[in-house]
Each structure stands twice: as C-alpha cells, then as structure tokens.
Amino acid sequence: MKQYDIIVIGGGPAGYGAALYAARGGWSVLVIEKMSVGGQMTLTHTIDNYPGFDQGIDGWELGERMQKNAHRFGAETLYATVLSAQLAGEDKQIVTDGEILHAKAVILATGAEPRLLGLPNEQTWSGRGVHYCAHCDGRFYQNKTVAVVGGGNSAVTDALYLSHLASKVYLIHRRDALRADRVYQQRLDQQQNLEILWNTTVEELLAEEQLTGVRLQSTLDGTSSVLSCDGLFVSIGRKPITEFLDSQLALNEQGYIIADESTRTSLDGVFAAGDVRTKDLRQVVTAVADGAVAAHQAGEYLTR
Ligand code: NAP
C-alpha cells in the first residue's frame, strides 16, 4: 500500500507551490499530474508578471523549475490521471488509472480550463493566433487587429484591456445583449477602436501558418462573412476541473471548490489551492501563494 502524508492533485503553480512547502516542512509528498507540469502556464509564451524574472520566463520552463524545486526537498511526481477520490475520513484514497494511493491529507490543485469554442482546428491554432488569456498574450498584438468572443465580464474586460494595445478590437457576441456588468458596457462605448458584432458566432478559423481571420455567421439570418484579424481571444468562461470529486465537496454555482483564504474545504484534511478554488484573482502568483497556505494548513491538520 502506497501511503503519503500529503497527496497533491495537479502539477501547476498551486500544486508545486504546495509540494515545495510541504516537502520542505518534512512531510512525505506526492504530486499527481495527468500530462505535463506547469498547468495553464504552459499555454503562455512569456510570463512577465511573476516576480523575480525581470526579463519574463517561458511558462513551460517556469513549470519545470517549480517541479525541480519541490523535488529538491523530496517531493515526488506521479504522471497519472485521477479517476476518483474518497476524501472523507482519515484515510483518503486516490484512485488513478494505474493504482490506489493513500494519504492523510489532500491538496486539490487541479485548476480550471478555458471553455473552447469547439471548432475543428481550434487546438491546432492555439498559441498561433487563438488565445484564451488576454492578460497573458495580449501584448503580442500591439497595433494589430484582434477579436474577442463572448459577452460576459471576462470577454468585456479582455476587450477593454486589448483596446489599449491593439489598433482595432472586435467583440463578437452571439446575442444582442451583453451578460457583462453595466459599468463595463459603458466603458466599451467610450473606446473608439472597439466595435461590437452582435448576434454573431465564429464558424471557422482561417489560417495559414498563423491565424489570418475568422468566418462569422449571423444568428439572425444565417449569412456568413469573413473578418480579417491577427488574433482571436476566446473568452466564453472557464471550467474548474472537479468532475472526479463526484459531489463530495461543496462547490459554488460555477463548480469552483468553496474555500476561503485558508484553502480549507468542506471536508477535514482536504484543501483547495489555485484556480480551482473560489477566489477573485486567478494568477500564477496567487496560485503559488495558495499552495504555500494549503501546505501550512495541511501540516497543522496532520500535527493535530
Ligand atoms: P460568463 O459570465 O459565463 O460569460 C460567458 C459568456 O460567453 C456569455 O456571454 C456567453 O453568452 C458566452 N458564451 C458561452 N458559450 C459560448 C459559445 N460556445 N460561443 C459563444 N459565446 C459563448 O463567463 P466569464 O465572463 O468568464 O465570467 C465568469 C465569472 O467571473 C462571472 O461570474 C463573472 O462575473 C466573473 N468575472 C468578473 C469580473 C469582474 O471584473 N468583476 C471579470 C471577469 C469575470 P450568453 O451571454 O449568450 O450566454
């Protein structure tokens, strides 16, 4: 039987932040990561808002460095997919696609993934014109033309942010009214270089080596048109990765694990760190900080 003091699920900045603090604190720690370390950071070419890297750092490299840092203090990594977890009680069992692991405490750091449009070649052009984080990748589009898809607060704040960088911003929304707060809508009207395409959906990504434009369709009469643009920012919401929890923990309406700054969840000995937790600011630096707090809280729990 493989038993650890703490099992961390998810190998992004929250997961390795937690693993570093927990392993350095003397606990036996396993991080379970399904694919490659770094989480959503790997979608970003240059992270230049993580302190200490004055020239910015590639998201992939930062993920690997965080892993090495935690391994230096004895944390281990298992590459496997978590299928289910039994989190109540003192013996917590994590079922992966290969084995059942046991832990006294669990830190959930599975993050959230952007919702995709679901277009056939969307993943092919991801990072080459198609993006899911305006604050991460917007700066590649200085004085260029970009489009943002969505009508919620994220899409509108992304469009506003991009309007200060790009020469022209189109906001593509499938209905004739925005879901975003009124205060943001008023700001949209004030931006000269921002145009809203109402009742419109993106039907096709047009690309050669890089995105060149999108084919649009009117939801009113079905007519199709081509919009030339250098970048497309998909901002139609995020999906926290919590399916494997199978309703064991309290989640909010959007599916995020309810936990305050202490990272404690509705179950004893289970902590939620990073983007999967209810919080205001989802950034690498806040994920790492959550990881440290979760490791501290898990240590307190284990000591008790
Ligand atoms: P959201 O509020 O769920 O909005 C998603 C938007 O994407 C909606 O306008 C929706 O259209 C559209 N959409 C969904 N699926 C689509 C598809 N397949 N094709 C085209 N459009 C699609 O998500 P969010 O904007 O990411 O915000 C998430 C939460 O964070 C919200 O509670 C939001 O208030 C909060 N947030 C707050 C701030 C802030 O500054 N206070 C900033 C960002 C986010 P419909 O409207 O037609 O459904």
Side-chain angles (χ1 to χ4, degrees), residues 40-47 57-60 133 136-137 140:
Q40 291 176 71
M41 290 196 302
T42 59
L43 300 174
T44 305
H45 293 116
T46 308
I47 293 175
I57 182 165
D58 176 81
W60 197 278
C133 175
C136 312
D137 300 329
F140 299 117

Side-chain angles (χ1 to χ4, degrees), residues 117 149-155 157 173-175 179 184 235-237:
L117 286 169
V149 191
N153 276 332
S154 296
T157 51
H173 184 38
R174 62 185 179 184
R175 291 189 295 125
R179 185 181 290 277
Y184 292 129
S235 194
I236 58 173

Side-chain angles (χ1 to χ4, degrees), residues 76-99:
E76 299 169 24
T77 298
L78 171 73
Y79 291 96
T81 299
V82 173
L83 302 177
S84 63
Q86 175 54 55
L87 298 174
E90 290 186 358
D91 173 33
K92 303 183 190 306
Q93 298 171 29
I94 310 295
V95 180
T96 74
D97 43 3
E99 58 196 312

Side-chain angles (χ1 to χ4, degrees), residues 9 82-88 93-94 106-111 240-251 255-258 265-267 270-272 276-277:
I9 305 179
V82 173
L83 302 177
S84 63
Q86 175 54 55
L87 298 174
Q93 298 171 29
I94 310 295
V106 171
I107 297 175
L108 300 164
T110 43
I241 301 169
T242 53
E243 286 95 344
F244 67 96
L245 295 173
D246 197 23
S247 317
Q248 288 177 84
L249 290 178
L251 307 178
Y256 291 94
I257 300 170
I258 296 174
T265 70
S266 54
L267 280 179
V270 181
F271 306 88
V276 76
R277 169 173 92 78

Side-chain angles (χ1 to χ4, degrees), residues 146-164:
V146 297
V148 178
V149 191
N153 276 332
S154 296
V156 171
T157 51
D158 284 354
L160 287 167
Y161 172 75
L162 290 166
S163 70
H164 297 288

